[in-house]
Amino acid sequence: MSPTPSPRAIVIGGGPAGLMAAELLLQHGLQVELFDAMPSVGRKFLLAGVGGMNITHSEPRAPFLARYGLRERELTPIVDAFDADALRSWVHGLGIETFVGSSGKVFPTAMKAAPLLRAWLARLREAGLQLHVRHRWLGWDDAGRLRFATPAGEVLREHAPTVLALGGGSWAKLGSDGRWLPLLTAKGVDAAPLQAANCGFVCGWSEHFAAKFAGSPLKNVALGFEDVHGQPLSRRGEMVLTQDGIEGNLVYGFAAAIRERINRDGSASVQLDLAPDRDLERLRSELQRGRGAASLSNHLRKQCGIDGARAGLLRELLDKESFNDMARLAAAIKALPLTLRAARPIDEAISTAGGVRFEALDENLMLTALPGVFCAGEMLDWEAPTGGYLLTACFASGRAAAQGLLAWLARA
């Protein structure tokens, strides 16, 4: 009697979520084929690691999970099952050591994604992964077979339990282009429109200001505003002035809330504190000191450390009368009003919000409209700030989708 062949599974998408799903399925004895539209897998993962591969975060559980905002409830069991500690242990198992930086972020010691990805792919190939690149998924034909566009023409694969890990809609040149969305909605899958997340915003500087200060960092500033529920939010950090607005980690941390204000009101008003280490009374006292023959620029620099891009922002956003009233000027330094008109285009964003709603999935991340099809990673409708939270949930949801597929096979 010939042996019973191992069950098959298909994974579409070669980012962290897809590769993690493939690994778990291989560990349980399945034959796994992984398809990716690009010439090689993990391209966005590699580019994200160029400046320092932030793999996860050492933050305690409660604030860590709170980073997932409106989808904290749905992501909590997924991330709990493969949390930051488990992810670090998994990385160590690939022969890659990690360390915790001063900010609490966790990095591989080499600060690069490439060594990790090479070790991971070697392990997957050794486990029997069948990898197909330059295969862009086109949906299903009338017989339920998976369709792929390849350089040699369209190819078909017989139906098998499938994990979709197709990414969001940002960085299209790396394969994350959101072209899967209409393929699923046409099948009755409930999905939210993709929107830019962890993105910069447009202010609309004058030509003079943009020419002089675009690219200038603003370190140790605070950003404050009210969200759509009237809740005041404020945080200190760093941002960068761009050709037409602002970006950087401080901005990304508030991107979801700012985007929702813009969606509702057409714009979002925020306040910049250009001197967060000084209170208002101290600023008033410093600015009201006699300056003699010194220019106002020198007075600002010497008395309260306002120069360069900070001084340029004051000139850009305040009227002339504000510079003749030191009390008004001090108040502006502590709460400089700035109107954000729009998010930068989605393809410039680090990640996206929107995608397959959790309400379209069962508890195993299987699409209720398409039994045997599971979803993972950024194509799900969730978002998180940078700092390791994005990658953690991508890895964890890849494992969760694979576990769901295994459970479904066991029931079938």
Side-chain angles (χ1 to χ4, degrees), residues 218-223 235-239 249-251 276 310:
L218 288 175
K219 298 184 177 182
N220 191 27
V221 295
L223 186 151
R235 187 177 299 153
R236 185 187 296 201
E238 298 182 9
M239 66 173 66
N249 288 336
L250 179 58
V251 181
R310 281 174 164 80

Side-chain angles (χ1 to χ4, degrees), residues 65-331:
L65 292 170
R67 301 290 187 176
Y68 297 110
L70 296 176
R71 290 302 190 181
E72 178 184 355
R73 180 176 63 85
E74 290 84 359
L75 283 170
T76 289
I78 293 171
V79 174
D80 273 346
F82 193 69
D83 61 11
D85 290 337
L87 179 51
R88 289 186 73 185
S89 296
W90 175 83
V91 172
H92 298 162
L94 289 169
I96 307 293
E97 292 303 314
T98 61
F99 72 96
V100 180
S102 58
S103 63
K105 297 176 181 178
V106 177
F107 302 90
T109 51
M111 296 291 287
K112 302 290 184 184
L116 190 158
L117 184 61
R118 282 196 300 269
W120 194 8
L121 289 174
R123 187 163 76 183
L124 290 170
R125 289 191 177 100
E126 186 177 348
L129 178 65
Q130 301 172 57
L131 184 59
H132 307 279
V133 295
R134 294 188 174 92
H135 279 60
R136 176 174 289 279
W137 182 57
L138 301 176
W140 297 270
D141 70 2
D142 292 340
R145 293 173 298 186
L146 292 158
R147 301 172 54 211
F148 295 94
T150 78
E154 185 172 321
V155 299
L156 301 171
R157 279 294 187 279
E158 291 298 326
H159 172 75
T162 301
V163 174
L164 300 178
L166 293 156
S170 62
W171 298 16
K173 66 181 180 180
L174 303 178
S176 185
D177 56 18
R179 287 166 62 176
W180 50 266
L181 191 57
L183 301 178
L184 293 183
T185 55
K187 292 288 188 179
V189 174
D190 186 20
L194 297 177
Q195 301 183 81
N198 288 299
C199 58
F201 290 89
V202 175
C203 307
W205 308 124
S206 67
E207 290 185 11
H208 171 76
F209 181 84
K212 190 169 184 180
F213 294 109
S216 298
L218 288 175
K219 298 184 177 182
N220 191 27
V221 295
L223 186 151
F225 72 108
E226 286 188 356
D227 66 13
V228 292
H229 306 293
Q231 180 70 29
L233 303 174
S234 181
R235 187 177 299 153
R236 185 187 296 201
E238 298 182 9
M239 66 173 66
V240 176
L241 301 174
T242 65
Q243 192 68 29
D244 63 359
I246 56 175
E247 64 180 23
N249 288 336
L250 179 58
V251 181
Y252 303 154
F254 282 136
I258 293 172
R259 187 188 65 235
E260 293 309 308
R261 278 290 302 271
I262 292 174
N263 288 344
R264 189 191 72 177
D265 302 333
S267 64
S269 296
V270 303
Q271 295 80 42
L272 296 179
D273 184 346
L274 301 178
D277 291 325
R278 287 173 163 85
D279 61 29
L280 181 58
E281 192 57 41
R282 177 182 170 186
L283 272 175
R284 285 175 180 159
S285 175
E286 290 171 336
L287 289 175
Q288 287 170 349
R289 291 171 186 164
R291 57 187 173 99
S295 66
L296 179 57
S297 295
N298 278 334
H299 187 61
L300 281 168
R301 177 177 57 83
K302 291 180 178 178
Q303 294 299 327
C304 47
I306 300 294
D307 61 0
R310 281 174 164 80
L313 271 172
L314 293 173
R315 295 287 185 187
E316 175 76 0
L317 298 172
L318 299 180
D319 55 30
K320 291 183 179 180
E321 287 72 20
S322 297
F323 291 93
N324 297 321
D325 184 332
M326 293 301 101
R328 285 176 62 184
L329 186 56

